[in-house]
Each structure stands twice: as C-alpha cells, then as structure tokens.
Amino acid sequence: MRAHVRSRQQRLIDLVREHGAVSVRALAEQLDVHVVTVRRDLDLMVEAGQLGRRHGAAVWLGPDERTAAEDGVLIGMLVPVRDYYFGEIIRGAREAASGLGMRLMLTLGEYEPADDAVQVQRMLDSEVDGMLLAPAFETGRFQEEAWQRLAASGLPAVVLERRMAPGNPLARYDAVYADHAHGVAEALRHLVESGRRRVAMLARNTAPGARYHEGYLAGLDELGLQAPFPVLPAAGQFMDLEAFASNVRRITGAVREGSLDGLIVQNDESALELLTALIDEGLDIPGELAIIAYDDEIAEFGAIPLSAVAPPKREVGRRAVHLLAARMAERENGTEAETIQHQALLPTLRLRASTP
C-alpha cells in the first residue's frame, strides 16, 4: 500500500489501542480524512481481526478476541487495500471459511507488483495451508519473485477477480471472477431495448478496465451500433477536477446535440458524482439521458437512484474458498486435479429510476 495509507491506518490502530474505543467521526477528525475513508479502513481491519466495531465506533479487541484458535486449516488471502470493491469478496470468503471450520488470514497488498512477493512471503511465514490471491492488476501478473516463491511452496492457490491471459503462470491455477464483460454487455442491451441507441461508456484506465471495454465493444458489435465517442476515462471531481469537468462538458454537449442518450459508468462513485453534475447542468435523467452504474455498492443512494450492474462479489469469495478447500483436500490425500477451473460468475442488472 502507499506510504501515506500505511501511516494513516497504523495511526488509526494506535488511536483505538490508546483509547479502547473511538467513534468513526472522531477518528476522521483526528486523521483529517472523510468518514467514508475511515469506514473503509475499518472494514478491512475488522475483517482482518485487528479491530472490532460497535455502535459506530472502532473498538480495541482483547488478546482472546484478536487471536483465533491456533489449530485448524489456515487460508491466506491477498487483496488490494485501496479498493473497497474487495470488501464483499472478503466477507464471502470469511463466511465460507468459517462454515468449513477454517481460519482466514487477510494480507493487504497494493496495486504494485513489487509488493506481491512481500505479501506471499508473509503468508508463507505464517504457514498457511493455501492461498487466495488478487495480485497487482497494473500488470495483471505477479512479480517474478512472487511467482517463484508461490511455485516453490507447492501450496494450492485460487486467483480472485483476475482473468489471467494465456501464458501467464497464474493461469495454471484455479480462478474465480465476475464476468464484467458480460455485465457491461447486458447493461448496453437493456438500454438499447428500452429505446436508447446512442450509448457511451466511462471506465477506469486500468488493466481490469479492459474487461469493461471488451464487453462494451462486443455489445455494440452484436447490436450493430457505433460508439458516440471513444470510452472516456472515469474521473471523480475529487481526484481529477479537470478531467471530470471535461467529461461533464462532453456528455452535456452530446446529449443536447442529440448524439447521446445512454451512459454506462464504472463505478458507483464516479456515476453518482457525474449524476449530480449533469442534473446541475439541467439534463433530464432518464428522459434525455439514461444512466447505468457498474458496481451497485451505493448506486441506489443518488439524488435519482441509479440502475446498476451488480457483480456477485460475495459469491466470488465463497466459491474461491470452497474451490481452494477441495484442492487442499486433494493435496492432503496425495491426488492432483485433472482439470484447472476458471469460473466466471455473471453479474446482475438491477433497474432503478435512472433508466426507462
């Protein structure tokens, strides 16, 4: 994780340890960040068993609460710390592990390939019995050192939310992920079936973002349509005000000249910020412009509740644990899997007031 993220989260832990319990609002004031940031940090720390949460406050756990029983199977789980997307996946994995009588050790990485080796070694040092891995997605693959450590361990592993390209060493492992290309294509199909023919898309400029592009372009081709303009980079006004303002101008102009009547936006935060700006510009949603967000964590809470594609995050976590448990059992029995599984789970489209 970035140095400032590490520093903030360690400071959060120190504050809670010092006082025993601290309200989320007080932590936000002490750390000089938004309460949403504190809640996300706290979500990860609660899932990792570092802190507890009661009545809107972070709570320091006693030794018995922080340390689970030492006996039993231990699963290591590497996920990126800076992406709240993984919160539901972690919860699903934790539920499944608990149901199987296993323990889950959460390891928080960052979107930096060089960090993967550090986190893999941390799990190996903790003597995990298997791993759930969401490697750095800037490249979509492990740093060579991380791959070598994993391969040398001989431990079973399941890749999370990463669709590995042919030839990637991690493609030799089982994988479970949401089929984002399918989700975007379904959103596009719904907009077209509801009468919208000029549908654009905003997506983040990341390697996984290519899966959203893939679904959008495939959907356009299947439906015999053309993009009103190239996929725009999803930009929040608090991250890149200039890019955000440029998106607002381009979308507003296109709607008013009649070349745009539908929009798919990755993710909820970008979609909600954009929705507010477009309403301020006087656009009629969904009369002039129908909008579908991609994620469905907070889409329903907009000034106009947003229709959204909901990837099956919790189910991704559950299935990954069960698949890993099967591989660990095979290893224990001295057998090997005949077939590697790459499971693509289909998202669900949830319709609300932002679409006809």
Side-chain angles (χ1 to χ4, degrees):
M1 72 186 78
R2 297 289 188 265
H4 74 277
V5 178
R6 291 184 191 275
S7 176
R8 182 187 72 233
Q9 294 182 343
Q10 186 57 55
R11 176 62 177 149
L12 189 157
I13 291 173
D14 291 343
L15 285 168
V16 178
R17 181 192 295 116
E18 178 182 355
H19 298 285
V22 186
S23 73
V24 170
R25 188 170 298 280
L27 286 169
E29 292 174 356
Q30 288 283 328
L31 300 171
D32 193 26
V33 296
H34 197 279
V35 292
V36 172
T37 300
V38 173
R39 286 180 183 134
R40 288 180 182 170
D41 285 346
L42 186 54
D43 281 345
L44 292 170
M45 292 173 185
V46 169
E47 293 296 341
Q50 295 173 289
L51 297 174
R53 175 166 36 202
R54 299 188 186 98
H55 308 300
V59 179
W60 183 249
L61 301 176
D64 293 339
E65 295 173 290
R66 285 199 307 275
T67 305
E70 293 299 325
D71 296 331
V73 175
L74 178 63
I75 296 173
M77 183 176 189
L78 168 62
V79 298
V81 68
R82 290 186 291 127
D83 196 339
Y84 75 90
Y85 180 96
F86 280 90
E88 279 296 292
I89 294 177
I90 294 168
R91 293 183 189 98
R94 192 174 187 181
E95 290 170 0
S98 178
L100 294 171
M102 300 177 179
R103 292 183 292 134
L104 187 70
M105 184 188 81
L106 187 64
T107 302
L108 305 176
E110 60 176 302
Y111 293 126
E112 295 286 348
D115 191 55
D116 288 335
V118 174
Q119 305 305 336
V120 167
Q121 189 60 53
R122 184 168 294 166
M123 289 187 283
L124 292 174
D125 291 343
S126 299
E127 299 183 347
V128 299
D129 298 290
M131 298 185 193
L132 301 174
L133 301 169
F137 75 34
E138 296 297 342
T139 60
R141 63 188 303 148
F142 263 172
Q143 181 194 34
E144 184 63 25
E145 184 181 357
W147 160 246
Q148 289 174 352
R149 291 181 183 182
L150 175 62
S153 74
L155 290 178
V158 174
V159 179
L160 285 168
E161 273 302 290
R162 302 288 184 259
R163 191 178 67 185
M164 294 300 169
N168 188 319
L170 285 182
R172 305 171 196 169
Y173 286 83
D174 296 302
V176 183
Y177 54 85
D179 190 338
H180 299 310
H182 176 89
V184 170
E186 285 299 295
L188 177 61
R189 177 175 294 280
H190 173 77
L191 289 171
V192 171
E193 289 177 350
S194 65
R196 306 306 165 105
R197 305 285 297 178
R198 298 172 293 278
V199 181
M201 182 173 181
L202 276 70
R204 298 194 169 185
N205 187 26
T206 59
R211 292 157 62 184
Y212 299 86
H213 289 224
E214 175 188 327
Y216 175 63
L217 296 176
L220 288 175
D221 184 63
E222 180 186 354
L223 296 165
L225 302 176
Q226 292 187 340
F229 41 75
V231 175
L232 297 177
Q237 57 183 325
F238 298 113
M239 296 185 294
D240 189 337
L241 181 58
E242 184 177 345
F244 178 79
S246 175
N247 284 348
V248 172
R249 288 194 299 271
R250 184 157 194 178
I251 291 167
T252 302
V255 171
R256 287 176 175 159
E257 70 181 19
S259 62
L260 178 67
D261 57 13
L263 196 62
I264 301 169
V265 184
Q266 179 209 3
N267 56 16
D268 288 2
E269 288 181 305
S270 296
L272 288 172
E273 288 185 57
L274 188 61
L275 172 68
T276 299
L278 295 177
I279 291 174
D280 289 344
E281 290 291 324
L283 292 189
D284 176 10
I285 312 294
E288 293 179 287
L289 180 69
I291 302 176
I292 295 180
Y294 197 105
D295 208 11
D296 205 32
E297 288 277 354
I298 54 175
E300 64 182 304
F301 301 116
I304 297 172
L306 289 170
S307 294
V309 177
K313 301 175 188 177
R314 190 166 292 209
E315 187 62 20
V316 166
R318 291 193 190 106
R319 292 208 185 188
V321 167
H322 283 285
L323 186 52
L324 181 61
R327 296 306 188 214
M328 289 190 295
E330 290 170 350
R331 184 170 185 258
E332 182 72 18
N333 296 329
T335 59
E336 292 185 5
E338 294 183 1
T339 304
I340 299 301
Q341 299 185 37
H342 286 188
Q343 299 182 13
L345 309 187
L346 302 188
T348 300
L349 177 59
R350 296 171 179 163
L351 300 177
R352 301 189 181 98
S354 68
T355 53

